[in-house]
Structure formats: C-alpha cells, structure tokens
Amino acid sequence: MNELLIDTSDPMDLPSELSPRRMGPTVFILVLVGFAAWQLFNHRFLMTLPMAAYHAVSFFVETVVAAAVVAYVYERSRAYHKSLLRLHNELQQEHGSCVRAFQQLLETNLALAEAQQMKDNLTQMIVHDMKSPLTVILGFTQTLQTRGYGEGVESFSRPLGYIHSAARRLDSMIINLLNLSRLESGKLELHCTELELEKLVKDAVCEEQALAGEEEKEVIVELSPEASCVHGDSHLLERVLMNLLSNALKHTPTGGHIKIASQVAADPRFVQISVRDDGEGIPRELHERIFDKFVRDETRKFGLKTDTGIGLAFCKMAVEAHGGRVWVDSELGKGSTFSFTLPRGSDSLGS
C-alpha cells in the first residue's frame, strides 16, 4: 500500500519566501508600514485640503485598501481551497487502498482458515483410512503368531492374502499422496514413451485381481485394435488405471462386473479409455467435484462409499499432465463410467 504523503508546499507554487508561514509576518509589517504612511500623508497633505476633498480622497484610499485586502484574502482562500480538495482526493485514494488491503487481508485470512481446516480434515481422513488396513494387518499377524508354524503353509495363504491386500492399500495411499504433491508443485517429470495399452491394463488388473476374485467380481477387458498404443509415462498411467480399477471394485457389489474398454477418441489424435462399474452411481451435481481433493463430506451426503478422494484427484492431474482429460458418466443406481483420453502412439496412428 502506498505511503500517505501530504504536500506541504504552497498551493499556488509561490517562492519559499512568500509561503503562507512567511507571508503572515510580512503582511502584518506591510499593514503597519502602510498605516503609518497613510497617517503621515493624512496629516501632512490631506489636512490642507478642503473638507469635501479630504473626505473624498480618504474614502477612495480606504476603499482601494479594503478592496486590495479582500482580493488578497479571496485569492488565498481559493488557493487553500484547491489545496484542501487535492488533499481530500489523496485521502480518498488512500482510503480506497486501505479498504482494498483490508479486503485482501480478510480473503487471505479466510484462505488460511480454509487451508487449516483442510489440513485438519486431511489428517483425520488419512488416519481413518490408514487405520482400517493397519487393523487388518495387525489382526491377521496376531492370528498367525497364535497359530504358530506347525499347521502347514496352506493355512496361512488366506490371512497372508488379506495382509498383502491391506499393505497394498496403504502403499497406494502413500504413493498417491506423494505423486499428487509432486504434480501440484510441478516437480514430477514425465518420462513418456510408446506404451502398449494391453500391457498397462494387464498389469493394473493383475494388481487388483486378488480382491476381485475374493469378492466374485469379474473384470472384462475389451481393447480396440485401433486404440492399442498410447504415448505417456508408464508409471503414472499404470497408477491411473489401478486407481480407477480399485475405485470400480470398491463400488461394485459382489458378483458384479467391471469393464475396461478403449476406442479412438472424438479427436483422432487421442485414445479414449473407460472403466465401467455396476456400483451405486454418482449424482450429477458431483460429476465435476468428484475429481477434487477431499470431497468426502459431500459424497457422504448422498450415502456414497468414500475415502480421502486423493486417488481420483491424482488421476485428473496425471491425465491432464499428458494433455488429456478425464470425466465421469453416471446416474444413481445405474453404475458409473470413468473415461479419460491419452495421446495415441505412433503404432495406433499408423493403423
């Protein structure tokens, strides 16, 4: 904000020796000298004139002096009035600057309060979401310790599977947090190459296949030959597919189906990949907000299963970093289809 500066110079740009502070004594001395001269002139010359002439000359001189004094006072008043107006305008401008600075301060304070609240919510959500897999790990670890090692390897396969699945959930949350932070700060570099979409999908499905098999959920893959190659970062894109597939498995009921498909996008330079589930669906008012971080409270209002919301936020940022976009088509009770686009690889463009 600009510092308030008051112009103390003479409003009529008079020389310093004629400034208002110095003009006071000067005018006083001139008035005294003038009065003394007038008295001398009056006694020496005017007294010799006839009475009528004396009064006429006296009236004329006094009128001229009075008019000069009034003119001087008027001019000085105008000058000070202009100076006051200029100062008033400057004060108004400074007041406007102060008001704007105060509003910015309020907005900053509100943003800090929201950031603090978001931080608190994030802490609570992470603690809550990490507590569940940790409980599974600790519970089955204790079971294995209680059983001992004499019951055969087969008896450990099921609890070890649960432990592995819970540990993977923790690992996924941590990786999503790290990658999301790096994407937001611009510190995550993309290492883009030509990628076979079939391999990306296969690797993602293999990671989630154990959970799908346990809950009797079928994963169907239908990839178009014209959309079989993409250009991107294999690590990030595999993580995107894993997040979307994990989300679909979470919301699909037992015995349901998840379908992964690809096709050439409306823009032939891109491949469109979709992951469809048989879940509870997403209300239309959340189609855009679902990709924002920490929308847990809003999704809870509609009775939807929720987590930290970091996975979908990561998917959005990772896809946009590749020049694509991500969206969802869904209705309550009719499942959801998450789709995203990626640049086509040279093999797909040539087919």
Side-chain angles (χ1 to χ4, degrees):
M1 184 172 60
N2 295 331
E3 184 182 357
L4 177 60
L5 298 176
I6 299 177
D7 186 8
T8 57
S9 63
D10 187 88
M12 295 188 68
D13 297 325
L14 295 174
S16 60
E17 63 270 12
L18 297 180
S19 64
R21 293 181 179 179
R22 298 189 182 185
M23 283 290 289
T26 303
V27 171
F28 181 72
I29 293 173
L30 288 176
V31 169
L32 288 178
V33 172
F35 181 76
W38 165 249
Q39 291 297 324
L40 180 62
F41 179 76
N42 184 25
H43 286 285
R44 287 289 184 92
F45 300 101
L46 292 185
M47 289 297 184
T48 61
L49 296 176
M51 186 61 65
Y54 171 79
H55 285 295
V57 173
S58 179
F59 176 78
F60 174 76
V61 172
E62 291 175 355
T63 301
V64 170
V65 172
V69 171
V70 170
Y72 172 78
V73 172
Y74 175 73
E75 289 299 323
R76 298 308 300 173
S77 298
R78 284 185 59 193
Y80 285 121
H81 179 67
K82 291 180 180 179
S83 178
L84 289 174
L85 283 178
R86 184 167 63 246
L87 181 59
H88 175 71
N89 292 334
E90 291 176 357
L91 288 174
Q92 279 189 325
Q93 293 176 358
E94 294 298 328
H95 176 263
S97 299
C98 290
V99 170
R100 288 191 294 271
F102 181 70
Q103 291 175 343
Q104 291 176 355
L105 183 61
L106 287 179
E107 293 173 357
T108 302
N109 186 53
L110 180 60
L112 288 174
E114 291 177 350
Q116 181 62 40
Q117 184 62 43
M118 184 179 294
K119 177 183 175 182
D120 294 340
N121 292 342
L122 174 61
T123 301
Q124 294 176 5
M125 287 186 291
I126 291 177
V127 169
H128 178 272
D129 288 340
M130 288 188 172
K131 183 179 179 182
S132 297
L134 278 175
T135 301
V136 173
I137 292 172
L138 292 173
F140 280 103
T141 302
Q142 185 177 7
T143 301
L144 291 174
Q145 289 176 336
T146 303
R147 287 183 180 180
Y149 296 95
E151 298 185 15
V153 177
E154 294 78 6
S155 62
F156 295 101
S157 60
R158 188 175 183 84
L160 285 174
Y162 284 119
I163 291 174
H164 177 72
S165 177
R168 278 193 57 258
R169 286 175 57 193
L170 281 175
D171 179 67
S172 178
M173 279 189 281
I174 293 171
I175 292 176
N176 284 336
L177 275 172
L178 291 174
N179 286 339
L180 186 61
S181 175
R182 290 169 182 166
L183 283 169
E184 287 180 324
S185 63
K187 295 180 180 179
L188 185 62
E189 296 183 4
L190 300 183
H191 301 282
C192 297
T193 58
E194 299 290 312
L195 303 172
E196 290 293 332
L197 188 56
E198 182 178 1
K199 183 179 186 306
L200 281 177
V201 173
K202 182 179 179 181
D203 291 343
V205 171
C206 286
E207 289 290 335
E208 304 292 338
Q209 191 66 53
L211 179 60
E214 290 174 2
E215 299 182 357
E216 299 179 357
K217 301 173 183 179
E218 183 181 6
V219 179
I220 303 171
V221 179
E222 293 183 1
L223 303 179
S224 169
E226 291 79 17
S228 60
C229 185
V230 296
H231 185 76
D233 186 299
S234 60
H235 174 73
L236 286 184
L237 296 183
E238 182 180 344
R239 177 62 54 182
V240 168
L241 285 168
M242 287 174 59
N243 282 338
L244 293 178
L245 184 55
S246 175
N247 184 72
L249 288 169
K250 184 186 306 179
H251 293 277
T252 298
T254 301
H257 302 81
I258 296 96
K259 182 179 179 181
I260 303 175
S262 71
Q263 63 183 39
V264 178
D267 184 344
R269 298 173 303 169
F270 289 85
V271 170
Q272 178 177 322
I273 305 161
S274 60
V275 179
R276 176 173 177 76
D277 62 61
D278 295 335
E280 66 269 28
I282 302 169
R284 186 172 298 276
E285 47 266 51
L286 285 181
H287 283 190
E288 294 293 333
R289 291 279 294 138
I290 200 71
F291 294 100
D292 293 341
K293 293 185 297 183
F294 320 130
V295 292
R296 186 172 194 156
D297 292 338
E298 295 186 33
T299 54
R300 276 180 171 176
K301 293 177 184 177
F302 296 93
L304 304 178
K305 297 177 182 178
T306 59
D307 54 16
T308 55
I310 296 173
L312 291 178
F314 163 76
C315 290
K316 182 175 185 293
M317 294 198 69
V319 169
E320 290 178 350
H322 285 80
R325 68 185 188 95
V326 62
W327 70 95
V328 62
D329 296 308
S330 180
E331 293 183 28
L332 284 176
K334 297 185 178 180
S336 305
T337 301
F338 285 86
S339 303
F340 63 98
T341 58
L342 294 172
R344 291 178 71 184
S346 56
D347 292 345
S348 295
L349 288 171
S351 60

